[in-house]
Amino acid sequence: MADNLDRVRDHYRAAGLAERLKTALAVFGPEEERLKPEQLATLDQFHTRGLAATAELAKLADITADMSVLDVGSGVGGPARFLAAAYGCEVTGVDLSEPFVEAANYLTARTGQAAKVSFKTGSALALPFDDGGFDVVLLQHVAMNIADRPLLYREIRRMLKPGGKFAAFDVVLNGGDPLYPVPWAKTPAESFLLTAAATCEAIEAAGFRVLVQQDDTADAKTWFAALRASGPPPSLNLGVVMGPGFADFAANLGRNLMEGRLGVLTAVFEAVPVKS
Ligand SMILES: C[S@@+](CC[C@H](N)C(=O)[O-])C[C@H]1O[C@@H](n2cnc3c(N)ncnc32)[C@H](O)[C@@H]1O
């Protein structure tokens, strides 16, 4: 069950990311021009169905302005900026990848949201925060990189206030061996997939009760089919973050879904007292 954090970190190393972002964002005008969070949506929502998926998950988690939200595996910060803009809540992101955290802070400065949104480098398996500080924890397309699910979900449970919510959006095993590379892993050595049922079981065992469980696979397939039909991507896409090979990684995820190898799970849980 050893987590291969160095390999995962390497996968998301993204050398020179901040400079690449500066260059790519020149399409919006000079550096001092304030950007709207939604202008970044084609490159800062690093998961299936992009901004729509984040918006739906936030709605299911009943986020409100007075809440404090933790985004675990926050990537370059798109979900965190969206939540702060849409709900007025405070959002903290934590991510293993230093270049991603640097990029997330840079993009947040560009959208003028630094008072509400912040990011820290750290591992989901040893979250660098005190117990019980958050109302909601978000985990979008991160669990696939983590072998030690019991520890991951215990750490998330530790972050939550009593009755707090955990909103998860994950790629899951669905009945076949996945083809690699995929967006979260170049090889199976960085990929630790579970079925939807095993994912929910591991979450519940960490002290959660399921509130919502949805199979998002059909919507994900529709999204990939529309993407394929829409021709070349916009200039601001996740290739800016992950490099030119990213289109092939994403195409493989689409194929894995279409061929029934992988699926997508949306689920929201409530923290309950942990059984001793
Ligand atoms: C596919 S991206 C998703 C990013 C973000 N959640 C989003 O949806 O835009 C996966 C992210 O998880 C992070 N990650 C993977 N394993 C992690 C770990 N053990 N601790 C913290 N972050 C991790 C990666 O660095 C990467 O930023």
Side-chain angles (χ1 to χ4, degrees):
M1 166 121 71
D3 272 280
N4 209 331
L5 293 188
D6 287 338
R7 285 193 75 108
V8 172
R9 219 181 259 115
D10 262 2
H11 179 68
Y12 297 107
R13 193 163 298 282
L17 177 55
E19 279 314 306
R20 279 208 302 285
L21 285 172
K22 275 184 198 170
T23 308
L25 295 181
V27 292
F28 293 130
E31 184 75 17
E32 55 282 4
E33 196 104 337
R34 184 166 286 196
L35 301 175
K36 295 193 179 77
E38 58 271 25
Q39 286 180 289
L40 303 175
T42 51
L43 68 64
D44 73 1
Q45 302 282 330
F46 194 164
H47 50 256
T48 313
R49 295 206 297 112
L51 186 57
T54 305
E56 285 170 28
L57 193 64
K59 208 166 168 199
L60 290 173
D62 286 328
I63 292 176
T64 53
D66 55 345
M67 285 184 175
S68 175
V69 178
L70 175 64
D71 187 12
V72 174
S74 43
V76 294
R81 284 184 293 276
F82 166 78
L83 295 180
Y87 293 94
C89 55
E90 277 193 14
V91 189
T92 305
V94 60
D95 199 283
L96 197 59
S97 163
E98 243 173 75
F100 275 21
V101 168
E102 194 188 326
N105 281 321
Y106 167 69
L107 294 173
T108 303
R110 293 287 310 263
T111 59
Q113 292 176 285
K116 287 266 185 197
V117 183
S118 61
F119 300 93
K120 208 171 185 164
T121 305
S123 169
L125 298 175
L127 288 166
F129 307 102
D130 292 337
D131 297 6
F134 296 95
D135 299 284
V136 172
V137 174
L138 216 71
L139 186 79
Q140 288 188 287
H141 281 43
V142 180
M144 305 98 78
N145 280 130
I146 297 181
D148 195 343
R149 299 296 185 91
L151 179 56
L152 169 67
Y153 299 131
R154 279 202 306 276
E155 275 297 274
I156 289 172
R157 174 69 186 78
R158 185 175 69 77
M159 293 297 101
L160 283 166
K161 297 177 184 173
K165 297 214 178 114
F166 168 35
F169 180 56
D170 280 325
V171 178
V172 291
L173 279 179
N174 198 31
D177 284 337
L179 306 166
Y180 290 88
V182 284
W184 64 93
K186 289 185 191 72
T187 71
E190 306 93 64
S191 186
F192 307 100
L193 294 157
L194 294 180
T195 62
T199 302
C200 290
E201 205 176 296
I203 294 172
E204 286 174 291
F208 289 99
R209 175 173 78 89
V210 68
L211 299 176
V212 177
Q213 184 180 343
Q214 287 174 191
D215 182 346
D216 208 43
T217 312
D219 285 352
K221 284 174 152 169
T222 305
W223 184 78
F224 271 104
L227 214 59
R228 203 183 292 165
S230 67
S235 66
L236 291 181
N237 65 69
L238 275 158
V240 176
V241 175
M242 291 296 285
F246 187 78
D248 293 336
F249 299 4
N252 269 349
L253 173 55
R255 188 173 158 197
N256 281 318
L257 292 167
M258 300 297 179
E259 293 179 2
R261 297 167 190 269
L262 298 179
V264 180
L265 166 73
T266 294
V268 179
F269 302 83
E270 183 185 24
V272 294
V274 182
K275 290 182 201 128
S276 52

